[in-house]
Amino acid sequence: MSSASPSYATPGARFRTALTEEAPLQIVGTLNPYTAMMAKTLGYRAIYLAGAGVANYSYGLPDLGITNLTDVLTDLRRVTDACDLPVLVDVDTGFGGAFTIARMMKGLIKDGAAALHMEDQVQLKRCGHRPGKEVVGKEEMVDRIKAAVDARTDPQFVIIARTDALAIEGLEGALDRAGAYMEAGADMIFAEACTTLDEYRAFANHLQRPYSLLANITEFSKTPNFTVQQLAEAGVAAALYPLSAARAMNAAALKVYEAIRHQGTQKEVLDIMQPREELYKFLDYHSYEARIDALFAQSR
């Protein structure tokens, strides 16, 4: 997977470089600018803006295709304004037809995204690990990909085609779709809801292209929590952890709210809170204070 010259490394180029330098590339979901900053400080090379994260945490909605392009771009801008890690963005089914997909591509690249994944579910989509999913015909998804490729103004921007067909059409049907999606111009395949490492191996062997397979290692799902070593041996190029931190934050917040409500104090849950000084460390808070002191020292 080629990358741009160091003199002009676009977000897409940096995403491609990260794929070649970390195997598999670990991509963690970040809900907001602060979690993105924490991920960068800890050494992650790429981050993720999940459609479910936008729906659940920015709008209090289930991930059922209710949020739109504007909602996604709003959250994307907040993250890219604060953190320069390449961001993979979940765009559901593309939010509409060819012209809408073209508008989406323009907005994503303008607002600093490095990559997208678009899926082959019907417009009224469901979580990839829930029953009742439906996929569009292979040709319709090919058209979605072609529209995205045609509208790509940065050739390094990464287009990932997600297929949910494994649970509906079986492995052979999903492999057939994956091949067609790559032929249409997709850079990678997101094989959703795989249940075994052998299924990932089958995708990797079928694609026969380096840096082409993404695995969604989401908790409480059809996919086991495979290790990066297991995924690497199965031919996976990138491992996605879309809402791991969000689930942990939810559980911690619930415990804190329960303690304050029922015990009248937060004393018993201080150990699950981030200390103030650690927050300041990630925000570089003290350097801001020092700048204020230096700027206004002579006027005091």
Side-chain angles (χ1 to χ4, degrees), residues 1 9 18-19 35 56 60 76 80 108 124 143 161-162 165 168 177 183 201 207 215-216 228 265 293:
M1 183 171 285
L19 281 169
T35 53
N56 300 166
L76 172 63
T80 55
L108 290 171
L124 190 56
D143 288 344
R162 168 176 148 176
I168 301 163
R177 283 174 174 263
E183 288 179 12
R201 290 189 187 95
L207 296 173
N216 184 19
V228 287
T265 177
D293 292 341

Side-chain angles (χ1 to χ4, degrees), residues 192-257:
E192 178 65 308
C194 288
T195 58
T196 68
L197 290 168
D198 283 340
E199 288 172 340
Y200 286 124
R201 290 189 187 95
F203 275 98
N205 291 336
H206 185 74
L207 296 173
Q208 286 294 304
R209 190 191 298 182
Y211 318 117
S212 62
L213 182 61
L214 181 146
N216 184 19
I217 311 302
T218 185
E219 303 80 19
F220 316 114
S221 69
K222 291 184 177 182
T223 303
N225 297 135
F226 297 122
T227 66
V228 287
Q229 181 177 354
Q230 290 174 314
L231 293 170
E233 291 170 353
V236 170
L240 181 63
Y241 308 87
L243 293 167
S244 305
R247 293 189 175 100
M249 291 162 69
N250 291 347
L254 188 59
K255 287 181 181 178
V256 169
Y257 291 155

Side-chain angles (χ1 to χ4, degrees), residues 39-82:
K40 179 180 178 179
T41 301
L42 292 173
Y44 286 96
R45 300 288 304 277
I47 54 178
Y48 178 61
L49 183 62
V54 173
N56 300 166
Y57 302 104
S58 292
Y59 294 94
L61 294 169
D63 182 26
L64 291 168
I66 304 171
T67 47
N68 58 37
L69 173 60
T70 299
D71 300 329
V72 171
L73 292 180
T74 297
D75 278 8
L76 172 63
R77 283 191 296 271
R78 289 170 178 158
V79 171
T80 55
D81 281 350

Side-chain angles (χ1 to χ4, degrees), residues 9-48:
T10 65
R14 286 186 277 114
F15 187 88
R16 290 172 185 264
T17 298
L19 281 169
T20 67
E21 294 179 349
E22 181 176 310
L25 177 64
Q26 290 184 302
I27 308 171
V28 289
T30 52
L31 290 176
N32 50 44
Y34 180 64
T35 53
M37 293 163 73
M38 285 198 293
K40 179 180 178 179
T41 301
L42 292 173
Y44 286 96
R45 300 288 304 277
I47 54 178
Y48 178 61

Side-chain angles (χ1 to χ4, degrees), residues 126-198:
R126 300 188 184 216
C127 168
H129 296 264
R130 293 285 301 158
K133 293 191 298 183
E134 294 183 51
V135 292
V136 298
K138 179 174 66 177
E139 294 75 14
E140 183 172 340
M141 180 59 179
V142 164
D143 288 344
R144 291 176 185 175
I145 297 166
K146 287 181 177 178
V149 172
D150 180 68
R152 178 168 52 185
T153 54
D154 172 15
Q156 298 297 320
F157 186 89
V158 178
I159 295 172
I160 303 174
R162 168 176 148 176
T163 181
D164 284 75
L166 180 62
I168 301 163
E169 299 177 351
L171 182 58
E172 289 305 314
L175 293 177
D176 179 62
R177 283 174 174 263
Y181 299 166
M182 293 293 274
E183 288 179 12
D187 297 296
M188 299 180 71
I189 295 296
F190 177 158
E192 178 65 308
C194 288
T195 58
T196 68
L197 290 168
D198 283 340

